[in-house]
């Protein structure tokens, strides 16, 4: 059985349909004091998959722990987590004395509570293997959205340039470009604060070109906005954005539009008005009969 959560119910139902599993939505009540009461279906099978993306994660993480423990109390012997967006993966070291290494803490927490964890395009940097970040070996599964993003772009655009805004985006840009048969280039980014970003474009001729900025995650949108402005300055005919995880906090979308971005597309990893690329098929293919 697949158990979804209210804010991610549509994606949970689509995944359950694609995987041929029954789907129920966990009832979540938030008390005035901020605590949560969860109610799961009282009769659970031996294998239960929880489906919840972990954007804006702090309340969701606690609720996931409640749900996983309760699923076991109700008879589930095996509990799998499908979290298309996996939180806290970027802080993989202490950059200053005393800083929490959030990736390690959250990774261990998930490994202790779940038999298998499935995610999409996790933002791993110095740690290259998800099985290190979530220490449950091959039961930590990192899927790629590149094939579905490539199919999506190939069905809409003719010979755009795919541009990654920073060196970290290179694997995503190159994978999508290779699958779609498009040209790829990568810019350089200097970040001096949460919203302070400078972008230096590569030497590629952009005049008159359709450019798609590609990244794994857009948070404030500042990275992509600065890249878009540079592309417009260099004569790009149109600039679009595609990301796996569209967090788009605050006024990120307006910020991108103001920077000259035309279309913004994201997968449905995080529920957002820009969702255009469903992940149900990718996720369903990774579920096993025992999940
Ligand atoms: C960082 O390396 C990521 O790939 C993204 O470029 C970054 O998280 C985007 O953040 P923001 O939208 O806040 O600039």
């Amino acid at each position: 059985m697949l158990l979804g959560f209210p804010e991610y119910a549509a994606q949970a139902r689509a995944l359950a349909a694609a995987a041929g599993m029954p789907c129920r939505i966990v009832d979540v009540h938030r008390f005035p004091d901020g605590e949560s009461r969860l109610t799961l279906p009282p009769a659970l099978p031996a294998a239960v998959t929880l489906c919840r993306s972990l954007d804006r994660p702090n309340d969701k993480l606690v609720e996931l722990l409640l749900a996983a423990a309760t699923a076991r109390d109700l008879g589930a012997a095996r509990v799998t987590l499908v979290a298309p967006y996996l939180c806290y993966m970027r802080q993989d070291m202490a950059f200053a004395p005393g800083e929490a290494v959030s990736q390690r803490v959250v990774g261990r927490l998930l490994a202790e509570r779940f038999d298998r964890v499935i995610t999409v395009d996790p933002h791993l940097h110095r740690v290259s293997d998800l099985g290190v970040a979530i220490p449950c070996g091959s039961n930590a599964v990192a899927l790629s959205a590149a094939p579905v993003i490539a199919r999506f772009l190939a069905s809409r655009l003719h010979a755009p340039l795919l541009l990654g805004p920073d060196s970290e985006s290179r694997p995503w840009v190159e994978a999508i470009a290779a699958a779609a048969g498009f040209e790829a280039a990568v810019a350089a980014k200097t970040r001096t604060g949460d919203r302070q970003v400078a972008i230096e474009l590569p030497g590629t001729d952009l005049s008159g070109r359709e450019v798609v900025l590609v990244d794994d995650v857009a948070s404030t949108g500042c990275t992509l906005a600065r890249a878009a402005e540079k592309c417009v300055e260099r004569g790009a005919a149109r600039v679009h954005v595609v990301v796996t995880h569209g967090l788009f906090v605050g006024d990120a979308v307006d910020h991108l539009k103001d920077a000259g971005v035309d279309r913004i597309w994201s997968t449905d990893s995080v529920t957002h008005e820009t969702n255009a690329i469903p992940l149900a098929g990718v996720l369903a293919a990774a579920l096993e009969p025992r999940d």
Side-chain angles (χ1 to χ4, degrees):
M1 179 183 287
L2 189 131
L3 295 181
F5 289 79
E7 83 291 342
Y8 208 61
Q11 290 93 327
R13 290 197 179 98
L15 172 56
M21 300 164 83
C23 181
R24 302 285 297 277
I25 304 302
V26 173
D27 184 74
V28 178
H29 175 73
R30 292 256 168 87
F31 291 106
D33 59 12
E35 293 184 7
S36 305
R37 180 190 65 211
L38 267 64
T39 311
L40 279 64
L44 290 179
V48 166
T49 295
L50 300 181
C51 176
R52 182 172 232 190
S53 218
L54 292 172
D55 54 299
R56 295 156 183 93
N58 294 352
D59 287 344
K60 291 179 186 170
L61 269 177
V62 172
E63 290 169 0
L64 260 193
L65 302 185
L66 296 175
T70 307
R72 292 193 197 277
D73 290 345
L74 292 169
R78 182 176 172 78
V79 184
T80 296
L81 171 64
V82 174
Y85 178 71
L86 199 53
C87 56
Y88 287 114
M89 288 296 108
R90 282 180 276 183
Q91 178 97 31
D92 58 7
M93 63 177 281
F95 297 93
E99 258 182 25
V101 183
S102 316
Q103 183 195 79
R104 195 161 62 214
V105 177
V106 172
R108 274 194 203 137
L109 195 73
L110 297 178
E112 284 163 12
R113 274 19 183 233
F114 294 95
D115 296 285
R116 200 157 172 255
V117 177
I118 300 171
T119 189
V120 181
D121 291 346
H123 189 99
L124 301 176
H125 185 28
R126 282 155 288 264
V127 170
S128 60
D129 179 0
L130 185 65
V132 174
I134 303 179
C136 54
S138 62
N139 286 319
V141 180
L143 305 173
S144 170
V148 282
I149 293 177
R151 275 201 295 281
F152 174 84
L153 293 177
S155 71
R156 275 163 182 76
L157 305 175
H158 175 67
L161 171 72
L162 305 192
L163 181 68
D166 55 30
S167 59
E168 292 178 335
S169 65
R170 183 179 290 281
W172 287 287
V173 182
E174 291 186 343
I176 295 167
F182 293 153
E183 186 186 350
V186 175
K189 174 167 86 180
T190 308
R191 182 185 283 284
T192 50
D194 288 344
R195 292 169 192 269
Q196 287 73 44
V197 167
I199 298 285
E200 193 179 332
L201 293 184
T204 322
D205 181 11
L206 301 186
S207 58
R209 291 213 59 182
E210 189 159 38
V211 177
V212 183
L213 298 172
V214 178
D215 211 350
D216 58 333
V217 50
S219 179
T220 64
C222 289
T223 297
L224 294 167
R226 296 294 82 76
E229 286 164 357
K230 290 282 168 120
C231 290
V232 171
E233 277 169 30
R234 288 265 292 270
R238 287 202 296 168
V239 182
H240 311 297
V241 158
V242 69
V243 292
T244 304
H245 309 294
L247 300 177
F248 296 124
V249 301
D251 59 356
V253 166
D254 290 339
H255 196 44
L256 287 168
K257 294 284 178 187
D258 290 346
V261 171
D262 187 356
R263 305 293 307 272
I264 305 173
W265 299 298
S266 61
T267 78
D268 61 0
S269 143
V270 175
T271 303
H272 192 261
E273 64 194 19
T274 58
N275 289 170
I277 308 166
L279 291 175
V282 177
L283 296 167
L287 288 173
E288 296 176 347
R290 60 193 177 132
D291 287 332

